[in-house]
């Protein structure tokens, strides 16, 4: 799908507020409601818009610690990497998992209540996954920027 400037304005507006009513969205992007809704539906059907979510404040729901875990596996064969990925997909504490090129095999963003909760998670879950050779954890001291919005160039 080729995105024009109106599609990009729709995407930017919905990233800022996914609960926008169609009439307000249409007003913001300079369309009448009917063509605006048609465009949103096409963006959804094409998979450009994957889903709508509510972004939560982790600290306000008892998940005040985010850590980044770098994971090295015993091998990079299909069985080891696939097994690791499948296990990680089942762990709600892991909110991002990236297969890496470079020093480590995977980089995980893990959200937990506190340092003790992370320690337990690492010992009882992450470290028990077959094929995990080493885990190094980085603890951020301050969040400088976090965003779920992609730069769509509206």
């Amino acid at each position: 799908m080729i995105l024009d400037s109106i599609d990009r304005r729709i995407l930017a507006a919905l990233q800022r507020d996914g609960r926008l009513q169609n009439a307000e969205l249409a007003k913001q992007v300079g369309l009448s409601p009917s063509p605006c809704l048609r465009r949103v539906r096409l963006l959804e059907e094409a998979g450009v818009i994957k889903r709508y979510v509510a972004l939560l404040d982790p600290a306000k729901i008892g998940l005040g610690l985010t850590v980044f875990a770098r994971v090295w596996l015993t091998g990079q064969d299909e069985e080891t990497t696939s097994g690791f990925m499948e296990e990680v997909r089942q762990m709600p504490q892991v909110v991002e998992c990236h297969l890496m090129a470079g020093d480590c095999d995977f980089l995980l963003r893990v959200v937990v209540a506190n340092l003790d909760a992370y320690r337990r998670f690492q010992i009882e879950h992450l470290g028990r996954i077959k094929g995990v050779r080493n885990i190094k954890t980085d603890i951020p001291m301050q969040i400088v920027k976090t965003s779920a919005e992609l730069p769509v160039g509206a």
Side-chain angles (χ1 to χ4, degrees):
M1 177 175 198
I2 297 174
L3 303 175
D4 65 15
S5 63
I6 294 173
D7 292 328
R8 292 179 184 279
R9 287 197 304 267
I10 289 170
L11 294 172
L14 287 174
Q15 284 188 110
R16 284 189 304 274
D17 182 0
R19 295 182 67 183
L20 272 178
Q21 297 294 319
N22 184 60
E24 179 58 31
L25 177 61
K27 182 178 171 185
Q28 286 186 25
V29 301
L31 287 176
S32 59
S34 208
C36 182
L37 184 59
R38 217 173 7 261
R39 282 180 178 253
V40 170
R41 296 290 181 245
L42 286 172
L43 291 165
E44 291 169 345
E45 289 167 10
V48 175
I49 298 173
K50 292 173 64 173
R51 67 180 192 257
Y52 298 90
V53 300
L55 298 177
L56 308 179
D57 182 331
K60 291 184 178 178
I61 59 169
L63 299 172
L65 180 66
T66 296
V67 301
F68 296 92
R70 292 175 289 142
V71 178
W72 287 262
L73 301 178
T74 56
Q76 295 181 341
D77 57 279
E78 180 67 26
E79 183 181 341
T80 304
T81 56
S82 293
F84 178 82
M85 290 186 288
E86 188 55 39
E87 290 284 334
V88 165
R89 284 186 187 106
Q90 306 304 314
M91 298 175 173
Q93 300 91 335
V94 178
V95 294
E96 290 182 37
C97 174
H98 302 270
L99 175 62
M100 302 298 288
D103 187 36
C104 65
D105 294 311
F106 287 91
L107 177 66
L108 312 178
R109 183 165 68 98
V110 180
V111 180
V112 290
N114 52 43
L115 195 54
D116 188 53
Y118 175 70
R119 185 177 130 316
R120 283 191 317 274
F121 169 74
Q122 181 177 328
I123 291 168
E124 297 171 8
H125 301 285
L126 196 54
R128 291 187 180 179
I129 298 174
K130 182 180 177 192
V132 170
R133 178 172 48 97
N134 195 16
I135 302 166
K136 292 197 177 174
T137 303
D138 295 310
I139 301 172
M141 294 175 57
Q142 177 183 2
I143 296 172
V144 176
K145 179 181 180 182
T146 184
S147 175
E149 293 182 38
L150 298 176
V152 293

